[in-house]
Amino acid sequence: MTESTRTSPADSDAVPTAEPFDVVDLIRTKRSGGPLDSDAIGWLIDAYTRGYVGDEQMASLAMAIFLRGMNRREISDFTLAMIASGERMSFDGLGKPTVDKHSTGGVGDKITLPLAPLVASFGVAVPQLSGRGLGHTGGTLDKLESIPGWQAALSNERMRAILRDVGAVVCAAGSGLAPADKKLYALRDVTGTVECIPLIASSIMSKKIAEGTSALVLDVKFGSGAFLQDIEQSRALARTMVDLGTDAGVATTALLTDMSVPLGRTIGNALEVRESIEVLAGGGPADVVDLTIALAREMLRLAGQPDADPERALRDGSAMDTWRRMIVAQGGDPDAALPMAREQHVVVADRSGVLAEQDALAFGIAAWRLGAGRARAADRVQAGAGVELHVKPGDRVVAGSPLWTLHSDEPKRFDRALAALEGAWSVADTAPERGPLVVERIG
Ligand code: URA
């Protein structure tokens, strides 16, 4: 460890500040591909959080990490330091095991909505601290906020009470969890350093470990609608996050899942809530049901119930009962009509055949352009906007029949949404074979 001081040459009156490291040394070390010591990483994250290390220095270091990587010990130190930058929640004393799920995000990914009450119906506590959507992937809170009266903001006490009484809670993460990550993620967003496995893994896992769950199932997606499109990169991300969770004492597993076509038949907030309710009522599209069941089995296994039957809980209404109680506990009316967009535009098939392609990213962008997502954090989303898919790859289509319906409150948005879909789908004589939705389990 080297002792050094940092003064601003431009400000000769500044009092030299004794700090145990010099951030420029750390940037140089990582620039040359060397590992950063544990003490140095702990200091760096703390110094960045309190504003001693500047954004320009952290951006430079993030780029060095992006280009040179970090070893397992460094990623673990980085994660622990970000956890230590804020509060750490605990669900001890609830009297039931806690299991959380995190998805790396995708198009039409509404799985949290049926999954949280489904798993909670087995007496397990499911604390889902979720976010709002930015860009083409939707946010769980935006979806639930389309239910009249439903509130995302809860105090820690209220969250605990709902976990105890109902079992499932989906709410906004307070600003006290991993504030270093909040600052660093915003910086990475504007410096081209988001798509970096050590930084993504430490960012996600710092929040999940700080949240205090005892077990965690990760849904790590690959394919065009996923955050990392390449399967090998997604597999490496999954492995890294499973290792981080396990090292921190959180029982963690991951499912690697295909996100090259949209999940289910709806993309957009209220449209996705409607489809989730269909799943809770024992129906819904096969891919949404299959992924919900696969993740539920994994969560229940980690919660000590390997023989639980989540399919039965969808059939017999117990998951639906928990959903209704979960919505009421957060001020929502589970019987209220869901918002509908004011305008619809139907796209029809120009030939008969089989739907061969339906690119997830393009459909996610179309839904976003229709008003379902936001371009800036301050934007409002339209609850009813989005895309309803009448056919999925492999389905037969007849010339003139509806393929999808675009929904928006503002008809002027239809042209840009249709432009996003150009070249993103095709009808052919046959459809290519598709691989499985859940490719492997890691952990
Ligand atoms: N989500 C996060 O929370 N962090 C990342 O770095 C990427 C996705």
Side-chain angles (χ1 to χ4, degrees):
M1 192 192 296
T2 53
E3 282 286 328
S4 70
T5 57
R6 180 179 185 244
T7 54
S8 165
D11 178 4
S12 54
D13 293 336
V15 180
T17 314
E19 293 281 340
F21 294 94
D22 185 334
V23 67
V24 180
D25 286 345
L26 306 189
I27 295 169
R28 286 202 191 102
T29 302
K30 189 43 78 183
R31 191 185 65 190
S32 332
L36 300 174
D37 290 346
S38 301
D39 289 352
I41 291 174
W43 171 82
L44 171 76
I45 298 294
D46 173 61
Y48 179 55
T49 311
R50 61 186 154 88
Y52 177 75
V53 167
D55 273 344
E56 71 288 357
Q57 295 172 311
M58 199 62 181
S60 175
L61 190 67
M63 184 57 82
I65 293 170
F66 186 100
L67 296 172
R68 295 298 201 156
M70 288 200 286
N71 65 33
R72 180 167 171 177
R73 193 268 308 148
E74 287 176 289
I75 302 173
S76 173
D77 288 338
F78 212 83
T79 309
L80 293 176
M82 290 207 290
I83 296 169
S85 72
E87 67 171 312
R88 204 162 171 168
M89 295 174 71
S90 163
F91 296 116
D92 291 351
L94 273 182
K96 33 183 159 179
T98 45
V99 188
D100 192 3
K101 185 251 352 180
H102 177 83
S103 159
T104 55
V107 175
D109 183 3
K110 70 274 298 170
I111 301 293
T112 295
L113 276 54
L115 180 66
L118 170 60
V119 174
S121 72
F122 287 87
V124 173
V126 187
Q128 284 281 171
L129 297 184
S130 300
R132 292 195 165 71
L134 194 60
H136 75 277
T137 58
T140 301
L141 301 183
D142 294 325
K143 298 178 212 272
L144 285 166
E145 277 172 346
S146 67
I147 300 173
W150 189 87
Q151 297 293 325
L154 295 179
S155 66
N156 288 357
E157 293 69 39
R158 182 75 191 127
M159 185 181 176
R160 277 183 80 83
I162 300 175
L163 280 175
R164 200 183 47 239
D165 301 343
V166 179
V169 74
V170 182
C171 64
S175 55
L177 282 186
D181 172 64
K182 199 167 188 206
K183 203 171 165 190
L184 180 56
Y185 192 36
L187 184 71
R188 287 167 54 213
D189 211 19
V190 293
T191 55
T193 50
V194 168
E195 301 88 349
C196 166
I197 290 173
L199 294 177
I200 299 170
S202 52
S203 165
I204 293 174
M205 293 304 290
S206 61
K207 288 172 285 201
K208 288 288 146 186
I209 297 168
E211 176 195 293
T213 185
S214 45
L216 174 66
V217 176
L218 299 160
D219 177 3
V220 182
K221 299 189 177 295
F222 65 92
S224 85
F227 191 60
L228 293 178
Q229 307 193 340
D230 175 62
I231 187 167
E232 285 310 326
Q233 290 259 79
S234 298
R235 187 177 275 124
L237 175 63
R239 182 80 262 158
T240 307
M241 292 197 290
V242 167
D243 287 346
L244 282 174
T246 310
D247 288 353
V250 178
T252 308
T253 60
L255 298 184
L256 196 60
T257 68
D258 186 359
M259 187 23 80
S260 46
V261 301
L263 201 49
R265 290 177 177 264
T266 56
I267 312 161
N269 302 309
L271 291 168
E272 294 191 39
V273 172
R274 193 187 72 197
E275 187 169 275
S276 303
I277 294 171
E278 285 167 18
V279 172
L280 287 159
D287 56 352
V288 179
V289 175
D290 290 351
L291 188 52
T292 303
I293 297 287
L295 288 163
R297 282 197 199 294
E298 209 46 43
M299 291 170 79
L300 289 164
R301 194 178 62 78
L302 293 184
Q305 299 191 43
D307 301 324
D309 181 1
E311 278 166 285
R312 183 194 46 72
L314 289 179
R315 273 195 315 271
D316 72 10
S318 43
M320 179 68 100
D321 287 348
T322 308
W323 159 264
R324 293 176 62 82
R325 292 170 57 225
M326 169 181 127
I327 297 303
V328 169
Q330 292 183 237
D333 177 356
D335 297 314
L338 290 165
M340 281 276 294
R342 280 195 289 275
E343 305 284 338
Q344 278 75 33
H345 175 96
V346 181
V347 177
V348 297
D350 54 1
R351 60 160 286 191
S352 298
V354 178
L355 187 73
E357 260 183 281
Q358 192 175 52
D359 179 70
L361 177 60
F363 278 82
I365 292 173
W368 174 36
R369 290 185 179 176
L370 290 166
R374 50 172 74 74
R376 292 164 310 159
D379 291 350
R380 279 171 63 86
V381 296
Q382 291 180 23
V387 184
E388 191 178 1
L389 305 168
H390 305 296
V391 284
K392 299 272 301 210
D395 288 350
R396 292 212 64 78
V397 301
V398 176
S401 64
L403 294 174
W404 23 89
T405 301
L406 311 187
H407 297 252
S408 183
D409 291 336
E410 299 163 285
K412 65 175 194 258
R413 290 179 177 261
F414 288 139
D415 282 349
R416 289 198 67 228
L418 289 167
L421 296 179
E422 263 168 38
W425 57 274
S426 63
V427 176
D429 294 333
T430 54
E433 279 286 300
R434 294 192 52 74
L437 176 61
V438 179
V439 172
E440 79 192 52
R441 175 175 167 277
I442 295 167

